[in-house]
């Protein structure tokens, strides 16, 4: 039974939250100030703290979710800077609160009460179990989170759609991290980056001597991902010949290496992604309809940044802190009118483009990032 500490100055809020959470199966304690919370944290190993932003969270290394009557983006950003795993506004949407609690408890990250040691320069890619957080509090991003929470525990295949740079790989990593396969391999393959004549070898492996450069036996991505998740990015760029073999592998849960007539059983959950409209590609004869239906049991659409521009301040704050850590420097401040200018941009490259722009601004701007910097360097 998960243990939740409710920290709020309002007795009515404490009572409402405690009653509902205990009904949902949580073990709860409720206090009105930091002193009482600190005493309880020494006695009880809480899994998460629900804290009003008017209260100071005890320095106990326990993940916390911030609650506030203030709906401004500045308050949300400050809560995130203080280490909050999520930010919810009052009156509390109980369904969203429960989702946030389960997300925080299932993927605990200690509250950040002290600066973290800077990671190695350019070490951006984390193990799936340590995947970056999905940043944003917009309805569009919350919808993606809800889909991940619902879909991840099952074994259904997932097709992730969206423009380049929207974060499809991050969604795939969270689908793996929240699944029963989380401890097993997460293997990715970019189908667009591999020449068509090599894609079959990349996916299914090959035997020694199968072709001129095959000097030794090699396991393919399906075998490497056995027991785990295979993320097939840019699936729409795969050749029809390779599509036929992937379809067979999905239908029969077995593959054969190039140059071999021996079947190998594989237990793999396939998550695919594409920036193309596969239904249009089917009409053009570029993609197999039967493979589409095999892959698209669940479709998760990741929205382009222009559809949730309200999340740009939170994303900018996250990137500033992340990039500053990579450069082992103090995070720069950004002016409000500079943020407003960034929100007015179209972002054809989406979140990936935004991150690159923020890195450019950090390098080229002065002590602060100003609207003039955005105009000059973007």
């Amino acid at each position: 039974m998960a243990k939740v500490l409710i920290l709020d100055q309002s007795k009515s809020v404490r009572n409402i939250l405690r009653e509902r959470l205990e009904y949902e199966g949580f073990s709860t304690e409720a206090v009105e100030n930091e002193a009482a919370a600190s005493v309880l944290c020494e006695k009880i190993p809480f899994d998460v703290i629900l804290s009003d932003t008017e209260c100071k969270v005890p320095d106990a290394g326990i993940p916390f979710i911030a609650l506030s009557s203030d709906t401004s983006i500045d308050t949300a950003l400050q809560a995130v800077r203080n280490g909050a795993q999520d930010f919810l506004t009052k009156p509390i949407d109980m369904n969203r609160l429960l989702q946030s609690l389960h997300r925080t408890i299932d993927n605990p990250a200690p509250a950040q009460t002290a600066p973290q040691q800077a990671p190695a320069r350019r070490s951006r890619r984390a193990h799936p179990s340590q995947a970056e957080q999905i940043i944003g509090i917009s309805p569009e991003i919350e919808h993606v989170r809800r889909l991940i929470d619902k879909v991840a525990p099952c074994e259904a295949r997932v097709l992730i759609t969206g423009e380049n740079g929207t974060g499809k790989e991050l969604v795939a990593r969270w689908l793996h991290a929240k699944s029963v396969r989380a401890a097993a391999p997460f293997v990715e393959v970019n189908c667009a980056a591999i020449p068509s004549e090599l894609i079959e070898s990349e996916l299914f492996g090959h035997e020694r001597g199968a072709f001129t450069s095959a000097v030794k036996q090699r396991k393919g991505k399906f075998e490497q991902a056995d027991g785990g998740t295979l993320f097939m990015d840019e699936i729409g760029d795969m050749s029809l010949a390779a599509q036929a073999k992937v379809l067979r592998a999905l239908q029969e849960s077995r593959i054969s290496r190039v140059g071999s007539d021996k079947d190998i059983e594989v237990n793999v959950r396939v998550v695919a992604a594409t920036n193309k409209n596969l239904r249009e590609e089917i009409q053009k004869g570029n993609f197999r309809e039967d493979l589409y239906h095999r892959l698209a049991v669940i479709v998760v659409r990741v929205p382009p940044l222009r559809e949730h521009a309200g999340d740009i301040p939170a994303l900018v704050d996250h990137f500033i802190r992340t990039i500053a850590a990579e450069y082992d420097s103090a995070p720069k401040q950004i002016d409000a009118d500079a943020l407003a200018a960034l929100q007015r941009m179209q972002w054809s490259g989406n979140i990936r483009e935004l991150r690159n722009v923020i890195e450019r601004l950090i390098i080229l701007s002065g002590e602060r990032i100003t609207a003039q910097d955005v105009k000059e360097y973007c």
Side-chain angles (χ1 to χ4, degrees):
M1 181 182 295
K3 297 179 176 61
V4 180
L5 174 61
I6 302 165
L7 173 56
D8 198 293
Q9 295 174 348
S10 169
K11 184 176 181 180
S12 61
V13 170
R14 296 198 302 270
N15 290 342
I16 290 171
L17 290 176
R18 187 168 190 174
E19 181 179 351
R20 178 61 189 272
L21 292 179
E22 289 185 349
Y23 174 79
E24 296 290 343
F26 292 92
S27 171
T28 68
E29 296 290 342
V31 294
E32 63 179 344
N33 55 52
E34 183 200 1
S38 297
V39 171
L40 281 179
C41 288
E42 292 178 359
K43 298 177 181 179
I44 301 173
F46 290 105
D47 296 288
V48 63
I49 299 173
L50 298 180
S51 176
D52 185 86
T53 52
E54 296 297 320
C55 301
K56 184 177 179 182
V57 181
D59 184 5
I62 301 171
F64 73 95
I65 297 169
L67 313 177
S68 179
S69 300
D70 186 349
T71 61
S72 70
I73 192 66
D74 288 340
T75 302
L77 286 175
Q78 189 58 51
V80 172
R81 290 191 189 104
N82 291 339
Q85 307 301 301
D86 203 351
F87 175 84
L88 305 180
T89 57
K90 297 178 181 179
I92 302 298
D93 180 332
M94 291 305 301
N95 288 331
R96 185 177 171 193
L97 173 60
L98 292 172
Q99 291 167 2
S100 183
L101 280 170
H102 287 299
R103 186 164 60 239
T104 301
I105 292 168
D106 292 343
N107 299 277
Q112 297 176 12
T113 54
Q116 292 180 306
Q117 183 177 356
R121 172 77 179 122
R122 298 292 182 185
S123 180
R124 293 180 184 173
R125 182 153 309 207
H127 187 276
S129 64
Q130 301 169 331
E132 287 187 35
Q133 292 295 320
I134 297 176
I135 305 297
I137 58 175
S138 65
E140 293 82 3
I141 294 302
E142 274 302 309
H143 177 67
V144 173
R145 285 198 188 98
R146 286 196 297 271
L147 283 177
I148 291 172
D149 289 340
K150 288 181 179 180
V151 174
C154 70
E155 288 291 286
R157 299 186 191 103
V158 181
L159 177 64
I160 306 170
T161 65
E163 298 176 7
N164 284 333
T166 52
K168 297 188 292 294
E169 180 186 340
L170 182 57
V171 171
R173 287 179 173 274
W174 274 111
L175 285 168
H176 175 76
K178 287 175 170 283
S179 74
V180 296
R181 298 173 178 263
F186 175 89
V187 177
E188 58 183 304
V189 56
N190 188 325
C191 302
I194 303 169
S196 57
E197 62 271 17
L198 296 179
I199 188 68
E200 291 181 35
S201 171
E202 187 72 15
L203 291 175
F204 309 114
H206 60 251
E207 296 293 343
R208 179 180 178 182
F211 45 85
T212 303
S213 59
V215 295
K216 62 180 180 179
Q217 184 190 78
R218 182 178 183 276
K219 288 185 178 182
K221 299 295 187 181
F222 270 87
E223 282 186 84
Q224 294 173 31
D226 191 32
T229 301
L230 175 62
F231 175 49
M232 301 181 69
D233 199 6
E234 306 300 352
I235 191 80
D237 292 282
M238 183 182 292
S239 69
L240 288 169
Q243 289 176 36
K245 290 203 169 186
V246 169
L247 178 64
R248 175 180 179 268
L250 298 181
Q251 288 173 331
E252 302 178 6
S253 296
R254 63 181 66 219
I255 57 100
S256 60
R257 297 177 186 145
V258 177
S260 172
D261 57 3
K262 178 184 177 182
D263 285 340
I264 302 171
E265 291 190 3
V266 288
N267 173 20
V268 172
R269 182 187 189 183
V270 171
V271 175
T274 182
N275 64 350
K276 294 185 175 182
N277 185 324
L278 291 188
R279 291 191 179 275
E280 290 183 0
E281 294 301 308
I282 291 169
Q283 295 298 319
K284 295 176 183 177
N286 297 331
F287 201 82
R288 295 180 61 113
E289 185 172 11
D290 47 3
L291 177 57
Y292 172 81
H293 291 301
R294 285 281 177 180
L295 293 171
V297 177
I298 303 291
V299 177
V300 177
R301 177 182 177 270
V302 185
L305 184 55
R306 61 183 173 274
E307 291 184 8
H308 59 109
D311 288 326
I312 286 177
L315 286 163
V316 168
D317 180 74
H318 170 74
F319 289 143
I320 286 175
R321 289 184 289 110
T322 301
I323 294 166
E326 290 179 0
Y327 283 98
D328 195 21
S329 62
K332 285 189 177 182
Q333 298 298 311
I334 182 168
D335 291 344
D337 53 354
L339 270 179
L342 292 173
Q343 286 184 278
R344 291 192 295 269
M345 294 174 64
Q346 288 301 305
W347 300 113
S348 59
N350 294 294
I351 295 175
R352 182 183 298 132
E353 181 187 6
L354 175 62
R355 191 201 190 284
N356 291 341
V357 164
I358 296 304
E359 184 165 11
R360 185 188 314 151
L361 288 170
I362 288 173
I363 295 170
L364 299 177
S365 65
E367 293 183 0
R368 298 178 63 87
I369 299 173
T370 67
Q372 181 60 34
D373 293 325
V374 173
K375 181 179 179 180
E376 185 172 353
Y377 301 125
C378 301

